[in-house]
Amino acid sequence: MVRLSRLNFILLFLSILFFSGAAVMIFVTVNEQNEETELQLKQARGETKRAVAYISAKVQLLETVAVSLVSELQKNKYTDPKTLEALLLRTSEENPDMFGIGVAYLPYKFNAEQRLYAPYVKREAGKPVLMRVEEVYDYTKPEYQWFHLPLLRGEMWQEPYYGDASESMLAEYTFPLYGPGENNRTAIAVGQVNYTLESMRGFLSSLELGKSGYGVILSKEGYVISHPDKELVNHRTNLETLAKEHVDKEMMRLVNSVAQKKAGEVSLMEMSTGRKARVFHQVIPKTGWTFLSVIFEKPTREAAQKFHRQMIIISLLILIGMLFTMVHFHRLMHWGEWTLVTRLSLLILAEIVIIWNLAVDEHRIEYLETVVSDQVVLEKWMDERRVDAQRHHNKEPWFIPTGLFIENVVQRTGHDIVISGYLWQQYKKGRDDGLRRGIEFVEIAETLSEEFIPLYTYQDADRETVGWQFRIVVREEYWPLRFPLDTRQIHLRLRHPDFLEGVRLIPDLDAYNLLDPASLPGVNQHIHIPGWKALESHFEFLSREYQTSFGVESIHRMSRMDDLSFNLKIKREFLGPFITYLIPMVVVSIMLFSLLLMVGRNDKDRLIGFSAMQILASTSGLFFVLIIAHSNFRATSEVPKVIYLENFYFLLYIAIVMVAIDALLFITRRDLNFIQYFENILPKLLYWPILLGALLAVTVGYFY
């Protein structure tokens, strides 16, 4: 009785130990995820402060230039246009970060014979260019508030606006100019110095806010004045109006938080993609603008894979704890041996199914990748390429919108896939007239179309759209080591024929109604891929460094070459392999167990069931059935490695040999207590736990 109690105590202690280990792992996993999230948030807060400091420095630059200009004009009276224009040109050259500087005189204040005079120097291709605003429009009309407000209110930051003369969104500091003399308070002109917000895009794209994160600038009135999606800027989008139109309560919380003119943060769901986002905001001093940092709370690939492994460890610890608990209750409640073994086997089988589900669900984890899920990500990538080109003194890249639609996919062999569909490109008239029309497929085996020719050409006011039909064979190395629970990515890498001239393909996002990868943009919604199910599709950019210049000297200066890739993720249908391969193996394992059950002796100590020769004949028959099925499986898989499902065959081979040996030893060796104990009961009880336990070990090895 004492030994029994001690053993029960040990079993209970081990159960508590493994359950505690699982609890600790859960705590560690949750804590690590929280730490990773907090690290992302801390980095976003730091980047928000850095952006505000950068923009404030640009603002201070304009104010310094304005003070200098006021001082110069108050000291000297400029009556000669050439002298004043030379001053503006010189000031522009001395301040290369400034976009424009100008002076707009009140009627007849510069010259009694000239009604309006407004010289303005702006930058074109990095060089100062002089223009006359009065020749473009009459700036004294009431609608041009940049001229009238400083005369009423004094020096001020204007609400950013689209400048007709500058042809860009301007952040402008305006101030009244008075006649010569320190005490002269008679306004004769309005001075303006401005900074194009377009020039900030390079800096904003460099912010470390993750692959999908981005920066936004709101004006004092709540209008979007800088955003990776230029349409929001061009359409004068107001954040509060947008929130009310969409009845978005979370965005209204952001609007109210921004209205307090204090630093803060708000969690919300982004309307365009439905992704959970965290928005940090901070006021930019002097201007009244607000800078927003938008980050998406998604794990990195490494963190997601680590989480997957931790979930497997947690489930294994819980399984082991439950196994010890069942043995403990077996001794305490006096369960039968077969009851205990059945429950233990079902627990192990349940753990295998849990790991299978974790493997199936792994594809649903979103990573921080270069997936082009919306216009924001695309614009950010384009800004990075422009900055990269400037850094390496290359030509500014050309971007050609390109679309793709997959009509049909057929897997010809394990590595070759036949894909057919349509392609199109949009070329801007004038700018792209010298470019060749066409697309190059990268890393394909062959083109099956007789001719790759344009199907249609559509002309509108400023664009030419060319479309093609294609049918190609994509050859990608693919080893389905997790068969039948595997997924694969099909990549279509596209490149422009003039890629050596800096031409880059970008996805034509406007051509798709939905961009959510789960909605399969660019794929036939009724597509049927035998044996597979389409999961998601998306565009992304893939970079490659070549160890050659292709005979062009300028290639040596290129840091990388970017290809547009259309990716289709597919998952193998489980039912087909389950019926074809798993059910026969389950039947063989049950028949093998039945043979094992028939080995025994009756009350008169005589052998019952099969004889030794019959056992050998039966196990040999099962072995040949398995070996034929295994050979057919290897012939169809074309994989030079051991696939997950193959381990089932290996385990059954071992089980067949062990059952045959057990039967022979039971018949011939009466002195082996382990075999002879209670009519060979121990091998019978251990058959399923050992077989399923070995299968669990293999499953963990492949999916961990």
Side-chain angles (χ1 to χ4, degrees):
M1 180 66 67
V2 175
R3 294 181 60 187
L4 179 62
S5 299
R6 183 177 299 172
L7 181 57
N8 279 347
F9 175 79
I10 293 174
L11 291 171
L12 183 60
F13 172 77
L14 291 174
S15 301
I16 296 174
L17 180 65
F18 280 97
F19 283 135
S20 300
V24 171
M25 277 298 300
I26 292 173
F27 174 79
V28 170
T29 301
V30 173
N31 190 53
E32 286 182 351
Q33 287 191 314
N34 291 337
E35 286 181 355
E36 183 187 6
T37 301
E38 185 57 37
L39 182 62
Q40 292 179 3
L41 299 181
K42 183 179 179 181
Q43 184 174 3
R45 294 187 189 102
E47 290 297 275
T48 302
K49 293 179 180 178
R50 185 166 75 93
V52 169
Y54 175 85
I55 299 171
S56 297
K58 297 298 181 183
V59 166
Q60 184 62 44
L61 169 67
L62 295 186
E63 293 187 359
T64 302
V65 173
V67 171
S68 175
L69 183 62
V70 169
S71 176
E72 177 64 26
L73 292 179
Q74 283 188 332
K75 289 180 181 178
N76 304 289
K77 182 177 181 180
Y78 285 84
T79 57
D80 181 13
K82 292 184 178 181
T83 306
L84 178 58
E85 291 166 3
L87 171 65
L88 297 178
L89 285 168
R90 185 173 67 253
T91 304
S92 178
E93 290 176 351
E94 293 172 352
N95 299 275
D97 288 340
M98 183 176 63
F99 177 77
I101 181 172
V103 178
Y105 281 85
L106 275 72
Y108 303 108
K109 289 296 184 180
F110 181 78
N111 189 321
E113 298 179 357
Q114 185 176 354
R115 179 175 177 270
L116 298 178
Y117 177 58
Y120 178 76
V121 176
K122 66 175 182 177
R123 287 194 169 272
E124 289 185 358
K127 296 181 179 180
V129 176
L130 177 68
M131 63 170 295
R132 300 277 288 273
V133 176
E134 76 274 10
E135 295 176 357
V136 180
Y137 61 89
D138 184 354
Y139 54 84
T140 62
K141 290 183 178 180
E143 59 263 30
Y144 296 106
Q145 294 296 302
W146 67 265
F147 179 77
H148 294 283
L149 288 178
L151 297 174
L152 297 174
R153 303 178 185 176
E155 59 187 32
M156 62 180 297
W157 279 96
Q158 297 274 357
E159 182 75 5
Y161 67 99
Y162 186 85
D164 294 328
S166 59
E167 299 180 351
S168 61
M169 184 65 71
L170 295 177
E172 188 165 74
Y173 183 69
T174 55
F175 46 93
L177 290 170
Y178 306 103
E182 294 183 2
N183 298 322
N184 190 341
R185 306 304 294 173
T186 302
I188 61 172
V190 171
Q192 56 179 154
V193 288
N194 49 48
Y195 186 87
T196 174
L197 295 175
E198 185 71 17
S199 62
M200 290 188 184
R201 292 176 65 88
F203 169 77
L204 295 181
S205 65
S206 70
L207 294 175
E208 297 182 4
L209 300 173
K211 292 291 185 182
S212 302
Y214 55 91
V216 181
I217 303 177
L218 298 179
S219 72
K220 189 176 182 179
E221 302 298 327
Y223 289 94
V224 178
I225 57 177
S226 180
H227 193 285
D229 188 352
K230 294 182 180 179
E231 292 298 316
L232 295 177
V233 178
N234 296 338
H235 292 158
R236 294 281 292 163
T237 304
N238 184 276
L239 190 64
E240 183 175 1
T241 303
L242 191 65
K244 290 180 179 178
E245 288 178 353
H246 291 83
V247 195
D248 193 326
K249 295 181 179 179
E250 292 182 332
M251 186 173 289
M252 279 304 302
R253 287 196 296 110
L254 175 61
V255 171
N256 295 332
S257 182
V258 169
Q260 296 177 9
K261 299 300 179 182
K262 296 180 181 179
E265 57 186 77
V266 176
S267 295
L268 51 78
M269 298 294 290
E270 191 189 48
M271 289 189 302
S272 60
T273 61
R275 294 177 296 178
K276 186 178 180 181
R278 186 73 68 92
V279 182
F280 299 85
H281 61 84
Q282 185 172 333
V283 176
I284 301 171
K286 297 185 179 181
T287 63
W289 306 341
T290 303
F291 180 79
L292 309 179
S293 292
V294 182
I295 66 168
F296 296 96
E297 300 177 20
K298 297 191 298 183
T300 61
R301 180 179 294 275
E302 293 76 15
Q305 291 174 343
K306 184 177 181 180
F307 175 76
H308 173 76
R309 296 190 183 100
Q310 288 172 329
M311 291 299 295
I312 292 178
I313 293 175
I314 291 170
S315 64
L316 286 174
L317 290 173
I318 294 175
L319 168 69
I320 297 173
M322 293 184 70
L323 292 178
F324 281 119
T325 302
M326 282 195 172
V327 176
H328 169 73
F329 278 103
H330 160 69
R331 300 183 63 83
L332 197 65
M333 307 295 293
H334 304 291
W335 291 344
E337 284 76 10
W338 284 109
T339 301
L340 174 64
V341 168
T342 301
R343 292 177 176 177
L344 294 179
S345 300
L346 290 176
L347 270 179
I348 298 173
L349 182 61
E351 175 64 15
I352 294 173
V353 174
I354 288 173
I355 296 177
W356 284 357
N357 284 328
L358 289 174
V360 170
D361 291 340
E362 191 178 7
H363 77 272
R364 299 174 186 167
I365 300 175
E366 292 186 77
Y367 306 116
L368 294 171
E369 299 175 324
T370 52
V371 175
V372 186
S373 56
D374 52 38
Q375 191 69 31
V376 170
V377 178
L378 177 59
E379 293 286 351
K380 184 177 179 180
W381 181 86
M382 293 167 63
D383 290 339
E384 290 173 353
R385 298 289 81 75
R386 293 188 184 101
V387 172
D388 188 65
Q390 292 177 358
R391 184 184 302 118
H392 293 87
H393 307 289
N394 292 324
K395 297 179 181 178
E396 183 173 343
W398 269 337
F399 299 113
I400 305 299
T402 303
L404 180 144
F405 183 82
I406 293 180
E407 189 70 41
N408 193 31
V409 175
V410 177
Q411 183 167 339
R412 191 164 69 175
T413 65
H415 300 292
D416 291 353
I417 297 178
V418 181
I419 302 177
S420 59
Y422 302 92
L423 280 165
W424 64 90
Q425 288 182 320
Q426 292 187 358
Y427 292 89
K428 190 173 182 180
K429 292 182 178 179
R431 186 198 68 177
D432 303 332
D433 290 346
L435 295 180
R436 287 180 287 174
R437 273 50 174 163
I439 294 176
E440 291 183 356
F441 290 98
V442 185
E443 297 177 346
I444 65 169
E446 56 183 303
T447 302
L448 299 180
S449 304
E450 293 182 2
E451 290 183 275
F452 190 71
I453 59 175
L455 282 181
Y456 61 89
T457 300
Y458 176 76
Q459 305 278 351
D460 60 15
D462 60 345
R463 290 187 180 275
E464 175 189 3
T465 303
V466 183
W468 297 267
Q469 186 177 19
F470 69 91
R471 187 164 178 259
I472 60 174
V473 177
V474 177
R475 179 167 296 165
E476 292 183 314
E477 186 178 83
Y478 175 67
W479 308 117
L481 299 182
R482 292 185 172 186
F483 178 91
L485 300 171
D486 54 325
T487 60
R488 72 175 297 180
Q489 289 263 17
I490 301 173
H491 301 85
L492 275 180
R493 296 186 66 168
L494 310 175
R495 183 183 296 165
H496 195 274
D498 294 327
F499 68 95
L500 295 180
E501 300 297 325
V503 181
R504 298 292 178 263
L505 301 182
I506 59 173
D508 182 15
L509 299 183
D510 293 335
Y512 302 96
N513 295 329
L514 296 173
L515 292 173
D516 180 15
S519 66
L520 295 175
V523 179
N524 179 6
Q525 297 297 308
H526 303 289
I527 192 170
H528 173 65
I529 309 173
W532 297 83
K533 178 183 178 181
L535 292 178
E536 58 185 45
S537 60
H538 62 266
F539 285 99
E540 71 173 331
F541 295 104
L542 300 178
S543 299
R544 167 177 288 188
E545 294 186 2
Y546 291 92
Q547 303 300 320
T548 178
S549 65
F550 297 97
V552 180
E553 183 180 356
S554 61
I555 295 299
H556 286 299
R557 298 198 304 268
M558 297 178 67
S559 60
R560 57 187 171 188
M561 299 180 67
D562 303 293
D563 295 328
L564 177 63
S565 176
F566 183 83
N567 299 344
L568 174 62
K569 180 181 283 188
I570 57 177
K571 179 184 73 172
R572 193 182 300 275
E573 295 282 4
F574 182 75
L575 183 60
F578 179 78
I579 295 175
T580 305
Y581 302 110
L582 287 178
I583 287 183
M585 285 189 282
V586 171
V587 172
V588 169
S589 61
I590 293 174
M591 293 178 65
L592 193 60
F593 180 63
S594 300
L595 290 176
L596 186 60
L597 289 178
M598 292 180 182
V599 177
R601 288 185 171 85
N602 59 19
D603 295 338
K604 297 181 180 180
D605 201 30
R606 293 181 179 178
L607 291 172
I608 59 175
F610 293 147
S611 65
M613 290 301 297
Q614 289 173 325
I615 290 290
L616 288 176
S618 299
T619 53
S620 298
L622 293 176
F623 174 77
F624 282 114
V625 169
L626 279 179
I627 201 71
I628 292 173
H630 190 186
S631 299
N632 292 333
F633 176 76
R634 290 295 301 176
T636 56
S637 64
E638 300 179 351
V639 179
K641 301 179 182 180
V642 178
I643 298 175
Y644 169 66
L645 189 64
E646 275 190 281
N647 292 278
F648 290 38
Y649 290 106
F650 297 142
L651 292 177
L652 285 177
Y653 293 153
I654 296 173
I656 288 173
V657 173
M658 296 307 296
V659 168
I661 292 175
D662 173 75
L664 292 176
L665 291 177
F666 182 78
I667 294 171
T668 59
R669 296 292 301 272
R670 298 292 298 271
D671 57 328
L672 296 177
N673 294 331
F674 178 81
I675 301 296
Q676 301 296 332
Y677 177 73
F678 203 68
E679 303 300 329
N680 200 36
I681 190 64
L682 293 180
K684 297 173 183 177
L685 289 173
L686 295 175
Y687 176 84
W688 286 112
I690 291 177
L691 183 62
L692 292 174
L695 180 57
L696 174 60
V698 170
T699 303
V700 172
Y702 271 81
F703 294 100
Y704 179 72

